[in-house]
Amino acid sequence: GLIATAGWLFHHLFGIGTHEDSLRRVQALWARHRQDLADEAPLAQRAYNTIVEWYLEHRSHFDHPGEDSRESTKYGSVISHEAGERSLIVVPKILDRTLRSDGFDPKVSMQTLRDAGNLIHDSDNRLTHNVKLFGVRKRCYHIRLPGEEEEGEAEDVPTADS
């Protein structure tokens, strides 16, 4: 419907070819740009899914509740909250490098996570949270993890200082 109307308008406004030619041109234009539009729309969800998948692939590089390895090979830590909720604390340099390699701008990605409520942070201007990691206080990304029963969807987790 919408593409046919656009083809008809294109034909009548520009007087080029037949109505069918204009329809094919509009369909081709839509096909070329549809993926670009789709890729841009859910940036927060794509970035969040990328981070969660990356964490799952590199789980052994994170301390889990009850561990405190202080190892230099670790990327961060997982924190457990009440009711089984979890969050991920990540050293910014490591996650920034991962996001860049996957085609994301780290700052924009973290801002979209913050705006979507998946980033725990100290203030509206900051993207990091002051946490204790490997026995030392540092500024890290603090990301809410989906619940065990969820697949890639974030749930609301109360903000907790670690």
Side-chain angles (χ1 to χ4, degrees), residues 5-17 19 22:
T5 303
W8 181 85
L9 284 171
F10 192 81
H11 167 70
H12 286 292
L13 289 174
F14 299 109
I16 301 173
H19 172 68
S22 297

Side-chain angles (χ1 to χ4, degrees), residues 61-79:
H61 289 278
F62 289 87
D63 277 347
H64 292 270
E67 298 177 359
D68 188 10
S69 66
R70 294 185 175 96
E71 291 182 26
S72 60
T73 60
K74 297 289 185 174
Y75 299 161
S77 183
V78 176
I79 305 294

Side-chain angles (χ1 to χ4, degrees), residues 46-59 102 145 152:
R46 288 186 306 117
Y48 182 71
N49 289 343
T50 298
I51 292 167
V52 170
E53 289 170 14
W54 171 77
Y55 157 68
L56 292 173
E57 287 176 28
H58 299 91
R59 192 180 288 219
D102 285 346
L145 288 174

Side-chain angles (χ1 to χ4, degrees), residues 6-45:
W8 181 85
L9 284 171
F10 192 81
H11 167 70
H12 286 292
L13 289 174
F14 299 109
I16 301 173
T18 65
H19 172 68
E20 290 77 23
D21 289 338
S22 297
L23 178 61
R24 276 194 297 277
R25 286 185 181 134
V26 169
Q27 286 173 329
L29 179 69
W30 174 247
R32 281 194 307 268
H33 296 289
R34 179 179 49 215
Q35 190 59 44
D36 292 339
L37 295 171
D39 285 347
E40 291 303 314
L43 176 63
Q45 190 62 46

Side-chain angles (χ1 to χ4, degrees), residues 41 60 92 131 152:
S60 64
V131 295

